[in-house]
Amino acid sequence: DEVSVALEASDDCQDGTSSCALNALQLSRRNHTLNDTDDDLLDPSDLPPPELKKKTRGRGWWPGGDKLWGSGKGLEDINEGNVGYYNAGMRAARARCGGPDCALIVNPMHHRTVEQFHIHFAHYQGKYGADLKSKLEKMLCNGKTKSAWIHGHLPCHGTATYAEGFPDVFSLAMEKGSIDHASVIAWPSSCGGKGTIIELAFHCSIEHQIRGDFDARYR
């Protein structure tokens, strides 16, 4: 099990005591997360429901923790033929977190630790998420820039656009080009609750910054 692996990997755990096991396990987890992935730490609540693989053969969406789990590995699996399925997943995530303090997030390849498609639905907390949404609204909630993709000092050389109501998020994102290596972030109830901001952030994850639980020691 994970404790045994951690013990075997630690030169300081020859006595097998419980305190040593705990220290080794914490060290093992910390070393695991000091890589390029910025997705969830792998505790049981971060893993897909055990029945997921069987259920998603029917192309459904299944809740687990603060995520919706679906078919496929990640954004690189979305194409014109199946994008409707993934748009439906984003709408289902919005049904669980659709207020002005919510963000719906999918991390890209190389910045996730679970190779099963999942959409985070999170109430953002702290300064980062609030400041980022405020900045996006200032850039997009006016007649001149609505419906346009805008750039300008957004995270990870990103871009963003606005749509009335709640659009087909992935279809709209794909109009900008490949999203294989982009974080896709939907901000529902934006611009006075009238619409949705779609943000792309390339070759990175800002999920934990948005959530407000980012800890540089584990990244």
Side-chain angles (χ1 to χ4, degrees):
D1 59 19
E2 189 178 11
V3 173
S4 300
V5 172
L7 283 168
E8 291 174 3
S10 175
D11 294 332
D12 299 322
C13 285
Q14 302 305 314
D15 59 359
T17 63
S18 59
S19 61
C20 182
L22 177 61
N23 290 336
L25 180 56
Q26 290 173 333
L27 179 61
S28 173
R29 284 179 171 170
R30 180 172 299 180
N31 288 340
H32 173 76
T33 57
L34 284 172
N35 55 27
D36 291 334
T37 60
D38 296 300
D39 209 343
D40 319 82
L41 303 181
L42 284 175
D43 63 48
S45 66
D46 291 322
L47 298 175
E51 69 275 17
L52 178 71
K53 288 187 177 180
K54 181 178 179 180
K55 286 184 174 181
T56 52
R57 291 173 187 168
R59 307 287 284 176
W61 289 91
W62 304 95
D66 57 357
K67 307 168 190 67
L68 278 185
W69 299 88
S71 180
K73 288 186 176 181
L75 293 159
E76 66 275 17
D77 290 324
I78 302 178
N79 56 57
E80 291 184 0
N82 63 21
V83 67
Y85 165 74
Y86 293 98
N87 288 333
M90 193 62 91
R91 287 193 296 272
R94 175 182 175 259
R96 288 164 171 79
C97 194
D101 63 342
C102 286
L104 313 175
I105 307 164
V106 181
N107 292 322
M109 66 171 79
H110 310 310
H111 296 277
R112 62 186 185 234
T113 53
V114 181
E115 296 297 314
Q116 182 76 43
F117 199 106
H118 56 289
I119 302 170
H120 301 266
F121 48 93
H123 292 274
Y124 61 82
Q125 301 178 30
K127 183 176 174 61
Y128 185 95
D131 285 354
L132 178 55
K133 184 170 184 182
S134 177
K135 179 177 182 176
L136 289 164
E137 288 186 320
K138 288 177 181 178
M139 298 171 75
L140 285 163
C141 296
N142 61 71
K144 293 182 179 179
T145 56
K146 280 185 177 179
S147 301
W149 285 93
I150 55 96
H151 305 263
H153 306 290
L154 293 175
C156 306
H157 306 286
T159 183
T161 192
Y162 170 86
E164 295 287 338
F166 193 80
D168 289 335
V169 170
F170 295 111
S171 294
L172 185 58
M174 290 170 66
E175 291 179 4
K176 191 62 180 172
S178 173
I179 58 173
D180 288 4
H181 295 278
S183 289
V184 177
I185 305 159
W187 302 86
S189 299
S190 293
C191 300
K194 296 179 181 179
T196 305
I197 291 174
I198 311 301
E199 180 183 5
L200 305 180
F202 298 100
H203 299 280
C204 75
S205 166
I206 56 173
E207 174 215 333
H208 287 282
Q209 288 93 331
I210 291 172
R211 286 180 178 275
D213 63 1
F214 178 80
D215 189 336
R217 294 176 301 169
Y218 300 99
R219 294 290 180 267

